[in-house]
Amino acid sequence: MSASAIYFLDLKGKVLISRNYRGDTDMTQIDKFMSLMMEKEEEGISTPILQHNDLTFLWIKYNNLYIVSTTKKNSNSALVFVFLHKIVSVFCEYFKEMEEESIRDNFVLIYELLDEFMDFGFPQTTDSKILQEYITQESHKMEVIPRPPPAITNAVSWRTEGIKYRKNEVFLDVIESVNLMANASGNVLRSEIVGSIRMRVYLTGMPELRLGLNDKVLFESTGRGKSKSVELEDVKFHQCVRLSRFENDRTISFIPPDGEFELMSYRLSTHVKPLIWIESVIERHAHSRVEFMIKAKSQFKRRSTANNVEIIIPVPHDADSPKFKTAIGNVKYAPETNSIIWSIKSFPGGKEYLMRAHFGLPSVVSEEIEGKPPISVKFEIPYFTTSGIQVRYLKIIEKSGYQALPWVRYITQNGDYMLRTN
């Protein structure tokens, strides 16, 4: 990555705090940053990378701060931006919120953190859990330099040694969000599944975990191509996963961090049938009233149930005097968003429900032609995945040989879920 220096500026471009890592740049060159940025803005260009002679400025804005990194090398800019965002997340954990005031109040602590983040322009420790073990709010008062925790010098930097639990447990959640856009006749225009596997690990020692999924590539390579499997795309892993092992034989093997973390995320650009389908009949009588008839239908298996369903139906901005009729759930008018929200606490599979709404319209109707915003749906279906992904096994290997209980849970929820109306 090779960053020469890091600066924290206020909105006027004044340096609040800075750290020179390589000593190869004139630190006053930061004075050029604001004028360069304003020049670009006058040209109608907004860019996070600015150049002045042989110096490159890479910057992000957070609240009322500019965080700027400078370099003279041909650095990996994506890595620099990840590093800057990582600084923000660590500072937010230390100071609750990162803004000009929290920078001014914590100079000593910030210098300590900046020294741990990077060494001679190369990123070092940016894990806030590890940093908080030996850089505390009072650490600048200590005269004796504390020894770094074993996690820093350990090959497994995300987990400390000596962790002990009376009850060893692992909780694994497979959470899938469905993004969907369908037209009024029921044709799906766009759909995808965005999934993540989140874990909460309470295990003693340094356990190795092995996770088996019904991964299509693995099943085909082991001669189980006809078994039910899913083809995962855009797979991203937590740093604890041994990538070489996954690339060789699709085994997800890892020593987990302690506590809560996201093990992996994935995407499937697959055709998804709408899980909850909405039919709407809207009759607008000029200068008098508008009537809605909304039919909601759950198109998943009867043994599953959608919880906390919200159907958000746009209404004309000039509607008033709402009246609702439904046999299930409750309906409320939300004038601030020009919509009605039909809430159903529990919506079993294979069911169909009706709701009618009636609004008065003022005598003078505005001439503007309103667009027809889509109906959006929110829901959560436990014990169910749209993709069909399955956890086949979760093995826990630890030298003391203790038995641990893995708990697996599946949840499907709405992402950007929109249904157009006629």
Side-chain angles (χ1 to χ4, degrees), residues 237-248 251 253:
F237 287 114
H238 187 276
Q239 62 174 340
C240 67
V241 175
R242 296 189 176 96
L243 291 180
S244 56
R245 186 87 191 268
F246 181 75
E247 284 159 9
N248 287 340
T251 300
S253 172

Side-chain angles (χ1 to χ4, degrees), residues 78-146:
L79 190 58
V80 174
F81 289 122
V82 169
F83 180 74
L84 295 179
H85 283 289
K86 194 70 186 170
I87 288 177
V88 170
S89 68
V90 171
F91 281 11
C92 285
E93 288 206 28
Y94 267 89
F95 315 135
K96 300 292 180 258
E97 188 51 273
M98 183 178 156
E99 53 190 28
E100 186 180 332
E101 192 177 343
S102 58
I103 296 290
R104 291 185 186 280
D105 289 347
N106 294 282
F107 277 163
V108 175
L109 184 59
I110 288 169
Y111 274 121
E112 286 192 48
L113 288 167
L114 291 175
D115 283 345
E116 294 300 330
F117 285 153
M118 188 173 274
D119 185 25
F120 197 63
F122 297 100
Q124 301 298 309
T125 308
T126 56
D127 189 315
S128 61
K129 278 187 181 176
I130 293 168
L131 288 164
Q132 282 170 356
E133 283 187 34
Y134 67 107
I135 296 187
T136 65
Q137 292 288 356
E138 288 76 39
S139 61
H140 60 277
K141 294 178 185 172
M142 293 182 183
E143 291 179 17
V144 180
I145 298 169

Side-chain angles (χ1 to χ4, degrees), residues 188-363:
V188 174
L189 308 174
R190 171 179 67 82
S191 68
E192 69 171 0
I193 299 163
V194 179
S196 72
I197 295 181
R198 295 176 197 166
M199 298 189 74
R200 282 173 294 142
V201 175
Y202 308 112
L203 294 174
T204 300
M206 276 284 177
E208 182 182 334
L209 273 59
R210 287 179 195 162
L211 175 67
L213 303 172
N214 56 336
D215 173 17
K216 189 176 182 183
V217 178
L218 171 68
F219 274 32
E220 286 176 351
S221 66
T222 54
R224 286 179 286 180
K226 289 179 182 175
S227 303
K228 192 178 179 186
S229 60
V230 293
E231 191 169 359
L232 303 174
E233 301 167 41
D234 291 348
V235 180
K236 295 184 182 74
F237 287 114
H238 187 276
Q239 62 174 340
C240 67
V241 175
R242 296 189 176 96
L243 291 180
S244 56
R245 186 87 191 268
F246 181 75
E247 284 159 9
N248 287 340
D249 59 12
R250 304 293 281 195
T251 300
I252 301 170
S253 172
F254 56 100
I255 294 170
D258 186 45
E260 199 169 329
F261 68 101
E262 183 179 271
L263 177 69
M264 64 180 279
S265 63
Y266 58 90
R267 185 178 63 84
L268 286 93
S269 51
T270 181
H271 181 81
V272 180
K273 179 184 172 186
L275 297 166
I276 294 176
W277 177 244
I278 310 295
E279 286 178 27
S280 59
V281 177
I282 303 167
E283 288 183 20
R284 187 165 181 164
H285 306 271
H287 308 295
S288 62
R289 68 188 193 280
V290 60
E291 292 172 354
F292 294 80
M293 192 191 79
I294 307 296
K295 185 195 285 183
K297 188 179 180 183
S298 52
Q299 303 191 131
F300 46 86
K301 289 175 182 172
R302 289 178 186 275
R303 67 170 179 262
S304 295
T305 300
N307 296 331
N308 304 318
V309 176
E310 278 191 4
I311 300 157
I312 300 144
I313 304 124
V315 299
H317 76 282
D318 54 351
D320 62 18
S321 313
K323 291 176 190 167
F324 307 116
K325 189 179 178 184
T326 180
I328 190 157
N330 58 69
V331 190
K332 67 174 182 181
Y333 175 41
E336 68 280 3
T337 55
N338 295 318
S339 63
I340 46 181
I341 301 166
W342 181 14
S343 304
I344 302 168
K345 196 84 179 152
S346 180
F347 200 145
K351 292 282 184 182
E352 203 172 277
Y353 298 123
L354 267 176
M355 187 273 289
R356 293 177 188 273
H358 179 284
F359 285 87
L361 291 174
S363 56

